[in-house]
Amino acid sequence: MKPKHMSADERRAVTVEAVLALAAQQNPSEISTTAIAEHMGVTQGALFRHFPNKEAILESVMDWVADRLLARVDKAASGAASSLEALEAMFEAHVAFFVENPGVPRMLFGELQRAKMTAPKRMAQKMLLRYRERLVTLIEDGKAKGQISSGTNTASACTLFIGMIQGLVMQSLLAGDVQLIRREAPGVFPLFRLAIEASA
């Protein structure tokens, strides 16, 4: 593709799409600005008119991921009748987002594994913190309403929730099959629910 006559915002969006498409196929840390430009059908010079360096490109990618993922899970949870249903809706929305955007989990894992603190890594950590805050709110609300067991350790439940998704993603990456997430996810959440749901 060779996008022309685009605004700066449109060009940045196309760049994010290119990075995520490449990340779905290869190690994100090995994606070069040359490869990004080639994927977009533009020169590196054209790419650097919108981004000062590769880190700025990765920052845009992480910003896109945070905005889209959090908006997706918020929308899913907002229509739920209870905290448990909201958690399940978030789980399903998160799984669907990763299946639709297989480059995203690879980017997230790649950034979080970096030894040095970079702006993209900081953004990934901030996104996880914001996500966790949503989980804490739902779990505490569920405990207050008697839907979630009062003995549930909220911090541990949040860790388990996030860990379920990370585990599904890791197994799908190892298997080289992104659809594995979708196939395995339906059997995972009921176990989480069983662990935290208040007794009838």
Side-chain angles (χ1 to χ4, degrees), residues 1-7 10-15 17-18 36-43 46 49-50:
M1 82 179 156
K2 192 155 188 165
K4 293 181 179 178
H5 310 301
M6 288 186 166
S7 69
E10 289 171 329
R11 179 75 71 182
R12 281 189 282 272
V14 170
T15 305
E17 289 171 13
I36 296 168
E38 285 178 359
H39 188 87
M40 294 172 64
V42 300
T43 64
R49 276 200 290 275
H50 300 281

Side-chain angles (χ1 to χ4, degrees), residues 2 11 15 22 30-55 57:
K2 192 155 188 165
R11 179 75 71 182
T15 305
L22 291 167
E30 295 173 0
I31 297 172
S32 65
T33 52
T34 301
I36 296 168
E38 285 178 359
H39 188 87
M40 294 172 64
V42 300
T43 64
Q44 280 198 78
L47 188 61
F48 287 128
R49 276 200 290 275
H50 300 281
F51 300 94
N53 50 44
K54 182 180 175 182
E55 185 164 304
I57 294 173

Side-chain angles (χ1 to χ4, degrees), residues 4 12 30 45 49 55 73 95 97 118 131 145 166 178:
K4 293 181 179 178
R12 281 189 282 272
E30 295 173 0
R49 276 200 290 275
E55 185 164 304
V73 297
V95 165
F97 182 79
T118 63
Y131 193 103
K145 292 177 179 174
Q166 290 174 335
V178 72

Side-chain angles (χ1 to χ4, degrees), residues 157-172:
C158 291
T159 298
L160 184 57
F161 185 98
I162 294 168
M164 289 190 299
I165 297 169
Q166 290 174 335
L168 287 167
V169 169
M170 187 60 70
Q171 289 178 62
S172 74

Side-chain angles (χ1 to χ4, degrees), residues 18-108:
V19 173
L20 291 175
L22 291 167
Q25 301 163 359
Q26 67 186 86
N27 185 336
S29 66
E30 295 173 0
I31 297 172
S32 65
T33 52
T34 301
I36 296 168
E38 285 178 359
H39 188 87
M40 294 172 64
V42 300
T43 64
Q44 280 198 78
L47 188 61
F48 287 128
R49 276 200 290 275
H50 300 281
F51 300 94
N53 50 44
K54 182 180 175 182
E55 185 164 304
I57 294 173
L58 296 180
E59 281 185 61
S60 277
V61 173
M62 294 311 303
D63 191 45
W64 184 94
V65 170
D67 285 348
R68 299 301 190 287
L69 177 57
L70 293 175
R72 177 82 72 95
V73 297
D74 284 347
K75 183 178 179 182
S78 67
S82 71
S83 293
L84 281 168
E85 287 183 18
L87 288 166
E88 185 168 10
M90 279 182 69
F91 177 80
E92 291 172 353
H94 195 152
V95 165
F97 182 79
F98 276 4
V99 171
E100 292 163 21
N101 302 280
V104 168
R106 294 174 68 96
M107 287 294 301
L108 283 172

Side-chain angles (χ1 to χ4, degrees), residues 86-155:
L87 288 166
E88 185 168 10
M90 279 182 69
F91 177 80
E92 291 172 353
H94 195 152
V95 165
F97 182 79
F98 276 4
V99 171
E100 292 163 21
N101 302 280
V104 168
R106 294 174 68 96
M107 287 294 301
L108 283 172
F109 278 128
E111 289 305 319
L112 292 171
Q113 287 178 52
R114 286 182 184 233
K116 293 181 179 178
M117 181 56 72
T118 63
K121 180 176 180 177
R122 232 181 342 264
M123 291 172 76
Q125 290 178 332
K126 184 177 178 183
M127 185 195 73
L128 282 173
L129 183 62
R130 290 167 64 195
Y131 193 103
R132 194 177 180 94
E133 287 169 353
R134 285 159 167 77
L135 295 175
V136 168
T137 298
L138 282 173
I139 293 167
E140 287 297 321
D141 185 60
K143 286 162 75 171
K145 292 177 179 174
Q147 300 159 0
I148 292 174
S149 170
S150 60
T152 298
N153 182 300
T154 299

